[in-house]
Amino acid sequence: MTRLLFIHHKLSSFVRFDLESLRAHFEVTERPLMSRAFNPLGLWQEISEHDLVFGWFASWHTFLPVLWARLQHKPSILVVGGYDVANLPEIGYGHQRGGIRQWVSRFAMNLASSLVTNSYYSRDEAVANAGIAREKLDVIYHGLPDPFGELPGGRRARTVLTVGNVNRSNLQRKGLRPFVRAAARIPDATFTVVGAWQDDAIDELRATAPPNVRFTGELSDEKLREQYRQASVYVQASRHEGFGLSLAEAMMAGCIPVATRAGSLPEVVGDCGVFCKSQEPDNVAEAIRSALDFPERARFQARQRILDRFPAEKRREALRLLVSRLSRNETSSRAAGGR
């Protein structure tokens, strides 16, 4: 059985999904690298005991693993798309703005045997911003397990939801500021912001929020799913998205999506929601009003789009095939070299 070393710096839900998916088919060792202070020689030894390196994002924590893998003639896979391929100096986001982070991420991506992106937008961003060859990139959409099941009937209350960590970067990148300001234009609806309060951004939002806005802080998975089930409209007023996982989860739960056309969001929403003309609060509010008036059958259409386009099993199988192919290629290469 192929032995796989799985590298990450944070076990987010989507990273955990890949870890568990790969464990179903391969012998996987999880190797969290939470900081730059780790033992390079120990990592070299770990890689020597595995057949392939699989890492999430091209940054400091995957730079040395893919370098060590290359030097040991082992294949490596990096999932990229997000801060590692973005270049948005106007909001201070993305490794491709320049400097050492740009060099580290590009070097890691070029060293890797194969790169996976979670959307076509991220693939094109990697080509345009990081100079990666298109043929090196495989688009494998996120796979979403379905924890919601059949949607309940009846109209939902006029509730509007967005999810994202509350920090300075996300005020504009995730559209938290325009979301809160849009609430003042629709006083008869309840607006909810779910996400951990990570810096003083929560103080700014609270200072400008009208009475119809709630801030829950971070919620457990179960309580977050309840928010999705109850909300009528989900808003992703982002400046940049490599996929939009929270948006897809909300659609699966029957929320009508409202989104900007930033990044990969059109790939997720399709024709099942409303697009904002811009991040301006008036435009966000206009889109929300329209979504609140959607017929109830639109909830089932939004849910079905996610079930059809982003099934969990499709990603699991695509990752299995990619790892198997690289492992076979490496085995064949070693056999040829030994003759």
Side-chain angles (χ1 to χ4, degrees), residues 18 54-56 77-81 114-119 122 136-141 315 318-319 322:
D18 284 357
F54 186 103
W56 254 92
I77 299 169
L78 288 184
V79 184
V80 300
S114 181
L115 299 173
V116 171
T117 64
N118 304 304
S119 66
S122 288
K136 190 174 182 177
L137 292 149
D138 288 301
V139 178
I140 303 177
Y141 279 130
R315 183 174 178 94
L319 292 179
L322 178 58

Side-chain angles (χ1 to χ4, degrees), residues 28 40 57 82 175 180 200 204 266:
V28 179
F57 296 123
V180 168
D200 63 352
E204 176 185 327

